[in-house]
Amino acid sequence: MFSTRSRTSRTVAVTFALAGALGLSACQDSSPDAAPPTSAAPTSAAESSSAPETSESSAAPETSESSSSSSSESSSSSESPSSSGGDAGDTTPVAPGTTLKYGQAANVVESSTASSSAAAYRLQVDALEKAPDSVYTGNVTKADGIVYFLRYTVTNNGGSQSSTFDAGDVNGFMLKPKLGPDQEGKKFVSAPGCDSDDTDLAVGESGKGCDAYIAKGAEIKDVVFAPGSRIQVSWTP
């Protein structure tokens, strides 16, 4: 599922908790600025997702100079709507369990099962950095934990299931800091200094994104993309 594009100027968070040693799931926060909780204590809810799209589209090649006109028409009609407007390059999804360094990109799918309805795109983690002190305002204090800005680059590789796609559409409950076994954290709806490009990306185009998280305990250095409870790819410094 894609996240909504609406962003606020307030610092608001929703809780995400560690499920086993891998996936993090979303639930509501009990702070005044967050959406009201469904019960007195935060409750965990598994993130729903659709399954991977593994097929690649290609246009029919021209076979001779004399038939370039008819070949061009055939190529145009054989392209899928999502692949028009740019070169997606290799769209093969990364093998589950792949580990990369910051700055390396991988094709990811928002699902841990096989289906053509899942959103897919190319993702590159640029940095996981501690937020500046200015972010600790209002009901967010250092006693609550360390605030991290997760910065990334996303490329539309033609796998989007929406008519529009931008950096803010990356699922922030699948791309997240990798918590330790005893850590919990929160994902912010919005945080000053951590914004995502909202320009529509054509196939082959890239945009910059940022999501903010807060967590107590040991410093976090790694980032994962994990549909459900399965880590598809990890990034390390």
Side-chain angles (χ1 to χ4, degrees), residues 13-17 25-30 34 42-43 173 184-187:
V14 287
T15 302
F16 63 93
S25 59
C27 61
Q28 294 176 317
D29 180 40
S30 57
T43 57
F173 290 108
E184 287 189 359
K186 297 178 182 179
K187 180 185 183 299

Side-chain angles (χ1 to χ4, degrees), residues 18-232:
L18 192 68
L22 303 180
L24 303 175
S25 59
C27 61
Q28 294 176 317
D29 180 40
S30 57
S31 65
D33 288 333
T38 56
S39 61
T43 57
S44 175
E47 182 72 10
S48 62
S49 56
S50 312
E53 179 178 351
T54 57
S55 62
E56 299 180 23
S57 62
S58 60
E62 296 184 7
T63 56
S64 68
E65 189 173 319
S66 62
S67 62
S68 60
S69 176
S70 60
S71 176
S72 175
E73 291 177 3
S74 172
S75 173
S76 175
S77 62
S78 65
E79 287 184 359
S80 64
S82 64
S83 65
S84 61
D87 181 10
D90 181 12
T91 61
T92 306
V94 67
T98 297
T99 298
L100 302 174
K101 292 290 187 181
Y102 289 170
Q104 294 182 311
N107 294 317
V108 299
V109 182
E110 290 189 352
S111 176
S112 56
T113 59
S115 165
S116 60
S117 62
Y121 37 82
R122 188 169 300 119
L123 194 57
Q124 171 184 306
V125 171
D126 299 319
L128 181 66
E129 60 190 39
K130 292 181 180 179
D133 287 346
S134 58
V135 78
Y136 298 97
T137 60
N139 63 342
V140 179
T141 69
K142 289 186 176 181
D144 299 316
I146 301 172
V147 176
Y148 297 88
F149 287 172
L150 197 171
R151 301 190 185 277
Y152 58 89
T153 302
V154 61
T155 303
N156 183 352
N157 66 4
S160 170
Q161 299 302 301
S162 172
S163 59
T164 60
F165 180 80
D166 65 33
D169 286 328
V170 169
N171 192 312
F173 290 108
M174 294 183 183
L175 178 68
K176 56 211 171 185
K178 183 180 182 182
L179 302 185
D182 300 320
Q183 285 181 289
E184 287 189 359
K186 297 178 182 179
K187 180 185 183 299
F188 288 84
V189 173
S190 177
C194 187
D195 299 307
S196 297
D197 295 340
D198 60 2
T199 302
D200 285 343
L201 302 174
V203 174
E205 290 185 340
S206 302
K208 295 290 185 179
C210 181
D211 288 325
Y213 301 83
I214 185 170
K216 290 184 177 181
E219 182 179 351
I220 303 170
K221 296 184 179 295
D222 297 344
V223 174
V224 297
F225 186 86
S229 60
R230 184 181 189 184
I231 292 180
Q232 193 175 125

